Amino acid sequence: MIAAPKNATRQSFRGCLLGGAIGDALGAPVEFMSRARIRERYGEQGIERFDLAYGREGAITDDTQMTMFTAEGLLQAMSRRRSGIDEAPEVVVHRAYLRWLRTQHFTGALASSGSETSGWLIHVPALHASRAPGTTCLTALSSGLIGKPGQPFNHSKGCGGVMRIAPCALVKEWDPYELGCKVAAITHGHHSGYLAAGALAVIIRTVLEGHGVAKGVSAALVRLVPEPGGAECIEALRKVTGLWKEDGADADVEQLGQGWVAEEALAIGVYAAMVGEAELRKGLTTAVNHSGDSDSTGAIAGNILGAIHGEEALSRVALGDVELRDEVIRLADDLVDAWTDQPGWVERYCEI
Ligand SMILES: [Mg+2]
């Protein structure tokens, strides 16, 4: 067992998952807007608090939905381990994703997988809302196949792998980098599609250990450098470091791309997290006010920033009420209880 990072606390675990949901919800109204359109609508500073998306303020999107199912799958995998069943965690997470697929009214090749009603998330009515789910995730999960690093069945490097990966940093049973890569590779076959996810898991784990984002980037690069196919993610993270050195907190994030692909989403999220280390609100708004995939880059930055600053600091930023807050906190608390070997959570995650 790995020793608990000094900051593996209820505050930081809640912060990590809630921060992702908050960044997602802040970006949701502007996901499909150019920056010019965002400024026209919200003023020069862009969007600064929750606004209407999907018929309500603070609506989360598929990024948070899938992050929640990642957490549920990992908790189920840990629950199985404690009862002596050592199944690969990504296989258990895949089953959780099939339940997410059902919430989106898809069943694909696996209409009856035996565990499709296990877990509690599928019984949360609000999770059955359709929030612009990514085509790659829908298609890959509908296929009935499970992608693996190095054994892809598609070549997608959309950001749908990296945006859902934060819980992989919040479990001590498995190496966060390897777990992040495997969980993203379930649906995303391009190297960058899953390596970006491994890198994000390392960065989150590093900040939970009490280090800064820059140290997290260095730790991620150590893992990426020997990887075949790691060049795009390496270049994207080096660009972030260069931009930060050159322009500090005021760089134009669009120099890092738009975030529709994984390495760009990682880069924008990480840069915004660097901004947000000193100024949480500015980090969150930097993450979403650009022409690209604002909810995913918001979610990534929010995961890192929430892990650094914790739940209370997120509340003080007061962007508004985020949808499914209680359910996100339930998952974070169960993850921290699993990490610290507290009782009570295991029964909630026994697969039927
Ligand atoms: Mg989304």
Side-chain angles (χ1 to χ4, degrees), residues 24 31 54 61-64 131-132 163 293 295-296:
D24 183 22
E31 179 181 5
Y54 306 104
T61 81
D62 60 329
D63 304 53
T64 301
R131 300 289 167 79
M163 57 66 160
D293 194 351
D295 58 331
S296 297

Side-chain angles (χ1 to χ4, degrees), residues 301-314:
N303 287 141
I304 304 170
L305 286 170
I308 295 171
H309 292 280
E311 180 202 0
E312 282 171 20
L314 287 169

Side-chain angles (χ1 to χ4, degrees), residues 17-100:
L17 296 192
L18 208 54
I22 287 170
D24 183 22
L26 184 64
V30 298
E31 179 181 5
F32 301 108
M33 281 188 201
S34 67
R35 185 148 66 189
R37 177 80 189 92
I38 294 173
R39 284 180 175 159
E40 207 179 287
R41 171 90 174 74
Y42 296 100
E44 201 54 28
Q45 297 303 313
I47 189 166
E48 292 191 289
R49 57 161 293 134
F50 293 159
D51 194 10
L52 279 180
Y54 306 104
R56 59 160 290 163
E57 288 184 8
I60 54 107
T61 81
D62 60 329
D63 304 53
T64 301
Q65 291 173 344
M66 292 198 78
T67 301
M68 293 172 78
F69 278 95
T70 304
E72 185 175 76
L74 291 174
L75 283 156
Q76 288 179 327
M78 290 189 286
S79 174
R80 285 170 84 75
R81 243 168 104 99
R82 279 160 174 75
S83 54
I85 307 165
D86 208 358
E87 192 175 15
E90 65 274 19
V91 175
V92 188
V93 171
H94 178 250
R95 288 198 290 274
Y97 289 162
L98 293 181
R99 293 194 294 280
W100 170 78

Side-chain angles (χ1 to χ4, degrees), residues 104-125:
Q104 303 301 296
H105 317 294
F106 279 74
T107 51
L110 289 167
S112 181
S113 68
S115 62
E116 60 201 14
T117 57
S118 84
W120 58 273
L121 292 182
I122 197 163
H123 304 295
V124 175

